[in-house]
Amino acid sequence: MGVHGVIGEDEGLRRRGCSCGKDDFLPEESFKSWGNYVQALKETPNRFMNRVLTRSLDSTELHEIKARSQHEMKKNLSWWDLIWFGIGAVIGAGIFVLTGLQAQQVSGPAVVLSFVVSGVSAMLSVFCYTEFAVEIPVAGGSFAYLRVELGDFIAYIAAGNILLEYIIGGAAVARSWTSYFATLCNHDSDNFIILVHSMPDDYSKLDPIAVVVVCVICVLAVLSTKGSSRFNYIASIIHVIVILFIIIAGFTKADTKNYSNFAPFGVRGIFKSSAVLFFAYVGFDAVSTMAEETKNPARDIPIGLVGSMAITTAAYCLLSVVLCLMQPYPKVDKEAPFSVAFEAVGMSWAKYVVAAGALKGMTTVLLVGAVGQARYLTHIARTHMLPPWLAQVHPKTGTPINATIVMLIATAIIAFFTDLKILADLLSISTLFIFLLVALALIVRRYYVSGETSTTDRNKLITCLILILGSSTATATYWGVSENNDWVAYVITMPIWFLATAGIAVFIPQARKPKVWGVPLVPWLPSLSIAINIFLLGSIDGASFKRFGIWTCVLLLYYFFFGLHASYDTAKGSGENRIGDGWKRVEEGQSVSTITASGVSLDEAK
């Protein structure tokens, strides 16, 4: 139905190649004429209910959706590549820039505990990602996982925030790149910034170098995934050597007196820093998007994800300890903390080594982010929630060129205008939101299988999940609005979380066992991930939530006017979810009218 030449006729796709006609962006039946579009808008409520109820299938994501890119991505990555991709994706601006600001103004030397809290949260999320990535090894990453377990609409909202996460993350790192480049050139970072007084303060410092860096990264990401892997591998090795130098040289200049006031801002400061420093761990999810290009996903992905995160967390903790031992926390520099710290202890030459290492690290973060974000966008476009033109994979390079270029253009524009602090806070919200959804999806995957789980068990699961989310939100809200040390509310909310998680473990049988590799301690581990992610959200400032809300409204406007109708037509035309019968078919995307039209009454469907 109206999706010919997009999902069913590969020849039409090949003829168009990389053209930019209307059918490359809106080929669906709903957009063939104004009459069709008006009719589609009238059907919006029914179509919306259809997509809310739609849950994709593993096999759909693995075969049919993937096939819409015309060409296969090349499977040439091993666990060794993924570990270095993970290190390259994560160790960058978060440690080399944000550590200084947080240590000086928010948490003091206890910033190391902030990294531990963020690291634990990130590691819990890593475990949740690995099970999905092993069983659904596609480029869509968390978008594909959420489509399978929580449905099309939730996946779309998450997808928009995934894209925002990558664009903002890349922009933040690109701006930090300029700061360390200035240090390497023995200049102040403001010397490379264009100041426009007529613009708001947070958007008045224009950064042309960030734009140039993003453009160079775009070329590397487009040419070859394996080539990007080799570049990342070499750059990451140099980066690790520099990190070891910072740790060893820094400990030789350590002064334990600087730790005499370890937590000057108290426990609240530690958790506030954790929420922002979660930015430092962003990027590991890009590794899961490379599952489609991995030789042996069942072995390579768990090793790659868990291995890289363990190395990264250890490095962050050691680096933050060294920084606060070298200098009293009030004197830590906000812009280039490690370079200034070495200068303060009489090792001025070392600041150039640090700056070079930081540039290497941030370059690999940008590269891996570019590779990951393009693959997210590709898989989202395969479902037609975004224009299918973005899903095309080039036959020679085996890379999604259109998606890569579009994402990096957006990154360059944001990097050109926006201040780093705004980027870091907003990025943390998007990331924590996505990670808690993935943890929620893992619990649903284990305990609910459509057509097999009884109604009683399903209702028990829904009740327990509502209690987990509610108690976690109440804990985070109280933490965010209270300024005293009253623990009464926590004595109520935390036991509710514990009992709800225990209720799933004790009273609801697991409906699906992992096929190859499974997350341990389910439901406790994903439930704890949900609680920590929501708690960290409670430590982020209100202005960032307003920006997050505005972005979500923009996503909804696009969805109801375009994405909903395009994905509805595509799913209906392809028979994407025609498996099973009865209410299972309703849940998997077929309307009641479709079932009754096929000659099956609702009583028979039950």
Side-chain angles (χ1 to χ4, degrees):
M1 170 178 172
V3 289
H4 302 305
V6 178
I7 60 175
E9 295 180 6
D10 289 341
E11 291 180 4
L13 276 169
R14 292 192 186 98
R15 279 198 305 272
R16 278 203 304 269
C18 292
S19 62
C20 294
K22 173 183 173 294
D23 283 347
D24 292 293
F25 293 90
L26 295 171
E28 298 80 17
E29 184 70 20
S30 293
F31 306 102
K32 291 296 183 182
S33 68
W34 280 107
N36 286 12
Y37 185 54
V38 171
Q39 183 61 35
L41 291 179
K42 291 179 180 178
E43 296 176 7
T44 295
N46 289 334
R47 292 185 173 198
F48 177 65
M49 287 306 298
N50 176 280
R51 303 318 291 164
V52 166
L53 290 170
T54 295
R55 296 171 71 223
S56 186
L57 304 171
D58 291 14
S59 57
T60 302
E61 300 297 317
L62 286 168
H63 303 295
E64 182 178 339
I65 303 296
K66 189 167 73 171
R68 294 175 186 170
S69 286
Q70 308 173 55
H71 304 285
E72 290 278 340
M73 296 185 190
K74 297 177 181 178
K75 292 183 178 292
N76 49 22
L77 301 179
S78 67
W79 63 267
W80 184 251
D81 295 309
L82 295 183
I83 282 182
W84 286 103
F85 260 126
I87 293 172
V90 176
I91 301 181
I95 184 65
F96 287 110
V97 177
L98 293 180
T99 307
L101 175 65
Q102 296 304 309
Q104 186 202 78
Q105 298 182 358
V106 185
S107 56
V111 69
V112 62
L113 297 182
S114 300
F115 273 115
V116 170
V117 173
S118 298
V120 168
S121 177
M123 185 62 82
L124 292 174
S125 297
V126 163
F127 276 110
C128 296
Y129 266 80
T130 51
E131 182 169 327
F132 280 113
V134 166
E135 298 194 359
I136 314 173
V138 293
S142 52
F143 170 71
Y145 314 151
L146 295 176
R147 244 173 68 88
V148 168
E149 298 304 335
L150 300 183
D152 254 28
F153 180 66
I154 297 297
Y156 171 80
I157 297 299
N161 282 285
I162 290 165
L163 297 179
L164 180 66
E165 168 197 328
Y166 274 109
I167 290 171
I168 289 176
V173 174
R175 288 190 73 94
S176 299
W177 201 99
T178 302
S179 297
Y180 273 92
F181 179 71
T183 301
L184 194 62
C185 297
N186 209 24
H187 281 269
D188 188 85
S189 59
D190 288 342
N191 293 344
F192 297 97
I193 296 295
I194 301 171
L195 187 61
V196 181
H197 296 286
S198 60
M199 298 180 68
D201 291 342
D202 291 333
Y203 305 94
S204 62
K205 295 180 178 179
L206 309 186
D207 191 340
I209 290 180
V211 175
V212 173
V213 171
V214 170
C215 291
V216 173
I217 292 298
C218 181
V219 173
L220 289 173
V222 160
L223 291 177
S224 166
T225 304
K226 189 63 178 179
S228 298
S229 175
R230 291 193 185 103
F231 176 84
N232 172 73
Y233 177 55
I234 295 169
S236 295
I237 288 176
I238 297 172
H239 191 40
V240 168
I241 292 172
V242 172
I243 288 173
L244 290 174
F245 165 79
I246 294 171
I247 293 171
I248 295 169
F251 273 124
T252 65
K253 299 293 183 178
D255 185 353
T256 55
K257 292 179 182 177
N258 293 332
Y259 256 43
S260 58
N261 188 7
F262 181 69
F265 301 97
V267 175
R268 188 170 294 276
I270 293 172
F271 282 104
K272 282 186 176 180
S273 282
S274 294
V276 176
L277 289 173
F278 198 85
F279 167 81
Y281 291 95
V282 170
F284 75 80
D285 51 332
V287 177
S288 71
T289 68
M290 298 173 196
E292 197 170 308
E293 298 158 89
T294 302
K295 296 175 184 176
N296 185 354
R299 179 197 65 190
D300 297 338
I301 291 173
I303 296 174
L305 276 170
V306 176
S308 60
M309 186 52 61
I311 294 169
T312 297
T313 303
Y316 279 175
C317 291
L318 288 171
L319 285 167
S320 59
V321 167
V322 164
L323 178 65
C324 292
L325 283 174
M326 291 173 69
Q327 271 191 303
Y329 76 88
K331 295 183 179 180
V332 171
D333 187 74
K334 293 185 294 183
E335 300 295 332
F338 290 94
S339 295
V340 174
F342 275 107
E343 194 167 14
V345 296
M347 296 177 65
S348 298
W349 58 271
K351 74 177 183 180
Y352 299 108
V353 178
V354 174
L359 287 177
K360 291 282 186 184
M362 286 184 268
T363 302
T364 57
V365 167
L366 283 170
L367 179 60
V368 179
V371 172
Q373 68 192 21
R375 279 139 189 82
Y376 265 125
L377 187 58
T378 297
H379 201 77
I380 296 166
R382 287 167 173 172
T383 67
H384 288 221
M385 289 186 190
L386 289 174
W389 178 80
L390 295 167
Q392 294 178 9
V393 173
H394 197 276
K396 292 184 179 179
T397 65
T399 59
I401 290 180
N402 297 344
T404 304
I405 293 173
V406 168
M407 286 295 287
L408 289 176
I409 287 174
T411 300
I413 292 171
I414 298 297
F416 188 53
F417 289 100
T418 313
D419 183 74
L420 178 63
K421 186 180 185 305
I422 289 178
L423 295 172
D425 287 345
L426 191 53
L427 176 66
S428 293
I429 290 181
S430 295
T431 305
L432 290 165
F433 175 68
I434 294 159
F435 289 172
L436 78 88
L437 285 179
V438 172
L440 180 66
L442 179 62
I443 296 177
V444 173
R445 183 173 182 82
R446 287 288 193 92
Y447 288 91
Y448 179 74
V449 174
S450 180
E452 297 181 19
T453 303
S454 68
T455 302
T456 302
D457 286 338
R458 181 196 64 194
N459 293 339
K460 288 179 185 175
L461 179 63
I462 292 172
T463 302
C464 290
L465 290 176
I466 290 173
L467 288 173
I468 288 171
L469 292 170
S471 60
S472 299
T473 302
T475 302
T477 302
Y478 185 74
W479 172 263
V481 300
S482 66
E483 293 295 335
N484 52 44
N485 295 319
D486 184 9
W487 296 92
V488 174
Y490 305 130
V491 173
I492 298 171
T493 59
M494 291 181 178
I496 292 175
W497 169 85
F498 179 85
L499 292 173
T501 308
I504 296 176
V506 175
F507 298 109
I508 307 173
Q510 287 200 25
R512 179 192 280 119
K513 299 292 184 183
K515 299 171 186 174
V516 182
W517 190 92
V519 176
L521 300 175
V522 174
W524 295 101
L525 190 150
S527 180
L528 183 60
S529 179
I530 292 170
I532 293 178
N533 287 331
I534 293 178
F535 185 77
L536 292 178
L537 282 170
S539 299
I540 294 175
D541 68 296
S544 295
F545 276 100
K546 290 179 182 177
R547 297 185 189 104
F548 178 76
I550 291 170
W551 173 246
T552 301
C553 289
V554 171
L555 290 177
L556 291 174
L557 284 174
Y558 176 85
Y559 183 73
F560 284 115
F561 282 98
F562 297 100
L564 167 63
H565 308 294
S567 61
Y568 176 87
D569 285 351
T570 303
K572 190 172 182 180
S574 67
E576 188 177 300
N577 295 305
R578 288 175 185 162
I579 294 180
D581 51 30
W583 290 111
K584 181 180 177 184
R585 287 170 64 186
V586 174
E587 184 181 72
E588 290 172 349
Q590 297 190 53
S591 64
V592 173
S593 60
T594 304
I595 295 175
T596 54
S598 66
V600 180
S601 70
L602 290 181
D603 290 334
E604 291 171 335
K606 295 177 184 178

